[in-house]
Every structure is written in structure tokens, then in C-alpha cells.
Amino acid sequence: MRWFTAQRTFLAALLGVLLAAALPFVLLHGSAGPLLEQNNYWLGVFTFIAIYTILAVGLNLLMGYAGQASLGHAAFYGIGAYTSAILTTRTACSPWLAMLCGIVLTGVVALLIGMPCLRLRGHYLAMATLGFGWIVFIVMRQWEPITGGSSGIENVPSLAIGGLVFDHDVKCFYLTWALALLVLVISANIVNSRVGRAFRAVHGSETAAAALGVPIARFKVQVFVLSSMYAALAGSLYAHVVKYVNPSPFDFHASVSLVVMGCIGGMASVWGAPLGAATITLLKERLQLLPWRDIDVIIYGLILIVVMVFLPGGLVSGVQVAVTRLRRQRRTAAAREGAPL
Amino acid sequence: MTPLLHVAHLRMVFDGLVAVDDASFDISAGQIKALIGPNGAGKTTLLNVISGLLTPTSGQVALADKPIHGLPPHRVAALGIARTFQNVELFPAMTVLEHVMVGRHLRSRSGFFAAALRLPGMRREERQIHLDAERYLAQVGLSAHADDLARDLPFGKQRLLEIARALATEPKLLLLDEAASGLSTREKKELVNLIFAIRDIGVTIFLIDHDMDLVMSISDEVVVLDHGEKIAEGTPHAVQNDDRVIAAYLGEEPVHA
């Protein structure tokens, strides 16, 4: 069974890679110029879905497995983005090294926040991260000499591997999806392991998990740190893809929409993350065309309510239910055909 | 010889309510020992203190001479005390087999990195965990339900699953909190056989139960608690004929204290 799980993870990943690789050819069908130098609206949107997928996986692990919510995840996303932007524009630091610095820094910050909050039962983490999110946002906006204030930081360099510079939409699309798939596979591997079982046990019953020798506080801190490091990776990608950072994508509003993505996709599921990320990102693109301001917040709220009431396991559980039903139908149909008269 | 578990002057007070008052007793290795008493006598509280869910107000608990009172439950478990729960504490979204696999947590070590990268050592360990978990499931007779969700099991089987999960930690001492309550007569008989089998592989058992026939027929020794106080301790025969025990169960004041 374990073996099967590993195979399934691998197959899902492979499928994802193939779909992702095929997409630009579909979207850019018929347009002129060398493929790798194309810029295209939809490629941009899908690049963002990849970035949000990384964020949503982290939140799914945190909410679905440790049973904790972070209302300030955009702050970790922002720390990743700003660390990359500041180090690469104000020092001679290379983009990859800046990305690593951002991830490590965010992990340390999350450790410092998580340790006191997660030793206690209850939603202390939600409160602490809410406050932390505001503080980080204010620092981004007010610490002008370093962060550039509301006008932000321009000319963030692109990531590059040797001579391959990720500076066009097609290249950014591949880069972000490669990393998103890596994060998905790593997360699926963790979930299907001793560590993942411990998380799920903590989620099911802290008392029973502890009585079986699972150090629950340590596990909660670990998953929170991991989740924040995913957010930092996403932030750094954002900075190098967009080549510009300012405070607004990292505000409280963003933190909330990340939580919504996680919930809609399916909390206790790694593969729900891309579903949630895609739903919210595509929706946001549509809603921006409407003349009403902040209509998106109302729509998110409605979707959240509908999903929580009718599909508490998120969209991914809906897919699972549909697949099992289909399989059962096929099996009964096969049984009926094969049955003796 | 030092007892496996030594409980001395244990006291547990909640907001002025004395749940356990100056309880002292020993459990020797290899015994089946029972803890009985009327409702509200403090039996589960005492078990919660031993397993680390509660920190006692005062007093000591020692496992093979090592003090364990005040340690968090996962440390107590690591030292060799496993338990089941009166109201069954399962992981609703996990399968029967996965429950027992969680029980192998202490006996395996792969961490984050090994899991994330599915390193060969981790995969080998996973296979071992899987095999071990199947063995413990077979021991309690739940092999046929391995892939069912635990919450879909009938109640009696959920109790057996808790025992398999606890055994998977390879405990020295197994605490059973009302493992027989809610079971049919046949299930109780099977449980008794299982308890003997567990004792025979060298696990000491400390159990709470309300079924006096069951308690008296399987226990080597019985401790009786009333209003948090130990009122008797001894062989089932001695305890059954103790005046204070009879009075406590009949709800009267003791004739002579």
C-alpha cells in the first residue's frame, strides 16, 4: 500500500508536469515569434496560480494537519519577496542566494512566533499571526530607506540558471510550476510518512496522539515553520517574476484570501491547493472586470460558506467523491454484465 | 524488588475539588491490577495523572524507580506507559491500520527530510512499520478491517483498536480505562482472553472497570478508590469482603473506620 502511495504521488506529479508543459502551446497557438520569448496574459495568470499553489499547500498543511490557522501568511510571503528584492537591488547578492536567505529568515521568524503560541491549546497562533501581519505590513510601508515605502522596490533581477534567464512569461511559467510541483511532491511525501501520520493524528485527537508518544507541540511548530518557508519561497518567486515589489500584495486582505484558497481547495489535502489557488486567482481576474470595488471579498465569503456547508473537505473531496461514485457505478455495471443469467 | 509503578501520596485538586487524595500503591511487573470504585471516585483522574495528561498537585509517580509525575504525556509514553481511553479517542479521518502505524511512532525515527525525499532508509522503515502494524492488528483480530475508517467500526472493535494501537508502542505498562464497558458478553470474553495474552507477553496491566465479575476474575490485585481516597487494596477475595468497600458500594457510611 505504501508503495502504491509513492507510485500515485509520482504519477500525479508526472501528469502535472505534462499538463503544465503542454499549456503554453495551447495558449499561444498561432501567435508569432520564438516560443520562449512570448508574453501572454494567461501565462501570467497561470504563473500566479503556481505561486499561490505554493502558499496554499503550506496553509493546507498547517490548517488541515495541525489544525491551526495563520491569519498573517501574507507577511511571510512578503518577507520572502522583500528579502529577495532588498538583497538583490541593494547588495551584490545573487537571486538564488537571496531566495535562500528569505526562506531561512522567514523560518526563524516563524519559529520565534510559533514556539510560544503552539505550546498552548486554542487559537493563539491565529491571533499572533494576525498582529504579526499588520506589523510587517506597516514596516514595509514605513521603513522607506530600506523597503522603498509605498512605492516599493523596482528593477528586481530575474532568476537565472547559467545563461538561461527567467525573464519572459513562458520561462517564468515553467520555473514557477516546476517549483510548485516540487513543493507538492515534497508535501505529499511528508503527508504519507511517519511525520504525516503524526500530523494527522494530532489533528484527530491531540490527547491520543500524545499518549502514543507524539510530541504535539514540536510537530505543530515544525509544520508552521515549514508552511512559512513555503510562503517565503512563493514571495521570492513573486519578486523575481514581477521584478517589482510594493506592500499591497502582502496586506491583511491577501492573508485572508490565502486562507480562503486553502479552505476551498480542501484543507486536509495537498492536491486541493492548486484547485483552491486556481479558483481564487481566476475568480479575481474575472471580478476585476466588474465595476464594483471589493466585490471580490463578498464573493469569497459566499464561496467559503457554500463550500464549508456542502463540501467541508473542499473541492478536492468533491472530486474524490465523484471518482469513487464513478468507479462504483462502473463496478456494479461490470458485475451486472458478468452476472450469470 | 522495586515495583514497576510506584504511586506515593498522590493528590490531585481541581479548583478546590479533591479528586485524588493521598493515594499510594504499587504495581509489580507482570501483574494484572485493577482500580475500582463508585462513579466519581477519581479513577480516571488517577489514570490521567499516571499517563501524564495531568500534573499532580502533590505526590510522586515512579516507573521502575524513575520519577515520571509532571512529565508530558509523550515522554511518559516513551518511557513505556500506554493507555486506552474511556470514551475512545480515535483519529476520525484515519484508517484502522494507520492508527496502529501511529502507534509505531516511538519505535521508528524517520523525520522531515527523510520523508520529504523518500530516502531509502525511510522507505525501508515504512515497510517495517506497515508489517508491525499488521501484526498488532492481527493480535486483536482486526486484520479484516485494516483499510476501514476507524470511525466506521462498531464500538467494541474501536475498543480493540485502541488496545492494538497502545500495544504497538511496546509498553511495559498498559492502562485500560473501562475497556469492557459497552461490550457484549461474547466480546467481554474475547477481551479477557486478550488481556491474558497481553499479560503473557510480559506487559503489566492496570485496568479500571465497573464489571465486578470481570475485575474479580482476572485481577491479581485490586485497589479501591472512594472520594479520591484509597479505601482498600488486596486480592479480589480480600477486597470483596472489606467492610469499607461494601459500604462505599452500597452508599453508606462505613460501620467502623
Side-chain angles (χ1 to χ4, degrees), chain B residues 11-242:
Chain B
R11 197 175 150 81
M12 185 76 226
V13 182
F14 300 108
D15 297 326
L17 177 88
V18 183
V20 177
D21 191 6
D22 199 35
S24 300
F25 60 90
D26 287 344
I27 302 174
S28 351
Q31 261 192 327
I32 295 178
K33 191 152 183 160
L35 175 63
I36 63 168
N39 283 326
K43 302 184 297 289
T44 294
T45 303
L46 185 57
L47 229 57
N48 286 346
V49 171
I50 294 174
S51 60
L53 290 177
L54 294 172
T55 301
T57 313
S58 63
Q60 292 94 43
V61 183
L63 182 73
D65 269 347
K66 188 179 159 43
I68 59 165
H69 51 273
L71 290 182
H74 67 270
R75 296 277 311 281
V76 175
L79 290 170
I81 299 183
R83 66 169 295 172
T84 66
F85 296 89
Q86 187 179 353
N87 297 316
V88 183
E89 287 276 346
L90 295 172
F91 312 126
M94 298 177 80
T95 67
V96 167
L97 187 69
E98 281 174 333
H99 275 71
V100 189
M101 290 172 86
V102 176
R104 294 305 286 165
H105 188 87
L106 285 169
R107 304 290 165 184
S108 46
R109 41 188 311 179
S110 293
F112 253 99
F113 273 104
L117 304 174
R118 291 194 84 78
L119 297 177
M122 175 268 181
R123 296 218 296 267
R124 210 176 310 125
E125 190 179 80
E126 278 290 295
R127 280 195 294 274
Q128 192 57 48
I129 291 173
H130 200 273
L131 288 175
D132 292 340
E134 281 176 340
R135 191 158 48 80
Y136 287 103
L137 266 192
Q139 202 171 352
V140 302
L142 284 181
S143 299
H145 296 280
D147 295 327
D148 296 352
L149 282 181
R151 59 163 181 239
D152 296 336
L153 286 184
F155 190 67
K157 294 199 161 127
Q158 293 189 348
R159 288 220 181 275
L160 290 177
L161 175 57
E162 278 210 332
I163 294 176
R165 183 177 72 173
L167 280 180
T169 66
E170 295 178 32
K172 297 187 182 84
L173 175 65
L174 176 63
L175 311 175
L176 300 173
D177 195 353
E178 298 201 19
S181 88
L183 299 194
S184 68
T185 319
R186 212 194 74 207
E187 286 173 328
K188 277 186 188 176
K189 221 172 266 169
E190 285 166 5
L191 178 70
V192 167
N193 289 335
L194 180 62
I195 290 174
F196 283 137
I198 293 169
R199 194 257 327 261
D200 292 344
I201 56 170
V203 180
T204 306
I205 291 165
F206 188 47
L207 61 96
I208 295 178
D209 219 285
H210 282 296
D211 184 329
M212 286 305 134
D213 291 340
L214 184 137
V215 167
M216 295 307 169
S217 66
I218 67 170
S219 309
D220 299 312
E221 276 189 312
V222 180
V223 177
V224 190
L225 220 55
D226 187 29
H227 297 295
E229 230 180 303
K230 185 179 91 173
I231 57 169
E233 183 179 4
T235 61
H237 181 76
V239 163
Q240 271 171 306
N241 295 305
D242 186 288

Side-chain angles (χ1 to χ4, degrees), chain A residues 222-292:
Chain A
Q222 281 180 348
V223 73
F224 178 57
V225 169
L226 180 73
S227 164
S228 74
M229 289 166 90
Y230 282 177
L233 168 66
S236 173
L237 279 174
Y238 173 94
H240 295 299
V241 165
V242 179
K243 299 178 201 160
Y244 166 72
V245 292
N246 70 329
S248 69
F250 312 112
D251 60 2
F252 175 65
H253 201 98
S255 286
V256 172
S257 66
L258 292 177
V259 172
V260 175
M261 272 178 207
C263 292
I264 290 181
M267 279 198 282
S269 144
V270 167
W271 301 103
L275 275 178
T279 311
I280 292 298
T281 310
L282 293 173
L283 202 66
K284 200 190 271 171
E285 292 301 316
R286 284 279 132 214
L287 294 175
Q288 266 172 5
L289 305 175
L290 297 175
W292 308 295

Side-chain angles (χ1 to χ4, degrees), chain A residues 115-171:
Chain A
M115 286 224 287
C117 298
L118 292 167
R119 297 212 167 273
L120 306 165
R121 282 192 189 204
H123 290 283
Y124 294 93
L125 187 71
M127 293 299 127
T129 48
L130 181 66
F132 175 71
W134 281 114
I135 293 169
V136 170
F137 183 66
I138 291 167
V139 169
M140 285 174 194
R141 225 175 34 189
Q142 303 298 331
W143 199 17
E144 274 184 42
I146 301 295
T147 65
S150 344
S151 45
I153 300 170
E154 290 176 334
N155 298 322
V156 180
S158 299
L159 288 158
I161 300 172
L164 176 63
V165 184
F166 295 95
D167 53 355
H168 286 94
D169 281 353
V170 179
K171 294 180 202 161

Side-chain angles (χ1 to χ4, degrees), chain A residues 85-108:
Chain A
I86 291 167
L87 287 181
T88 52
T89 57
R90 304 202 196 286
T91 72
C93 188
S94 87
W96 292 112
L97 185 62
M99 177 185 273
L100 191 69
C101 290
I103 293 172
V104 171
L105 174 68
T106 307
V108 171

